[in-house]
Amino acid sequence: MTRQKKEIVKKIAEMERWIAADEELGCGFAPAGAYDEMYRGIDQLEEELARLQHFASREEKFFATLGCENCNGNLPW
């Protein structure tokens, strides 16, 4: 994995941890739409990561089953 991909993965994980921590500390009482901007940022980073991994979109990456020809319906993730 290239450095750029690793940095994107780190940014996504950091944003998701921040949201989870804020929800935990706030007992889930954040106002509606409080994390919308963060989720849009995560979506953009996931799109960029998918393009760097040679997929047309993150949806294509999500539904890709490359390397799972012998998984017998049990995907490793």
Side-chain angles (χ1 to χ4, degrees), residues 11-66:
K11 287 179 187 177
I12 291 170
E14 182 180 327
M15 293 171 86
E16 288 174 342
R17 281 193 306 269
W18 189 90
I19 291 170
D22 193 57
E23 287 177 343
E24 179 102 8
L25 292 171
C27 299
F29 291 113
Y35 306 117
D36 288 351
E37 191 64 34
M38 294 282 286
Y39 284 123
R40 276 193 286 280
I42 290 171
D43 290 345
Q44 290 172 349
L45 289 171
E46 288 177 344
E47 283 287 339
E48 185 177 345
L49 182 61
R51 280 193 302 278
L52 289 172
Q53 293 174 331
H54 308 289
F55 291 99
S57 67
R58 67 179 204 185
E59 287 83 12
E60 181 182 320
K61 177 184 171 187
F62 180 75
F63 290 111
T65 57
L66 297 174

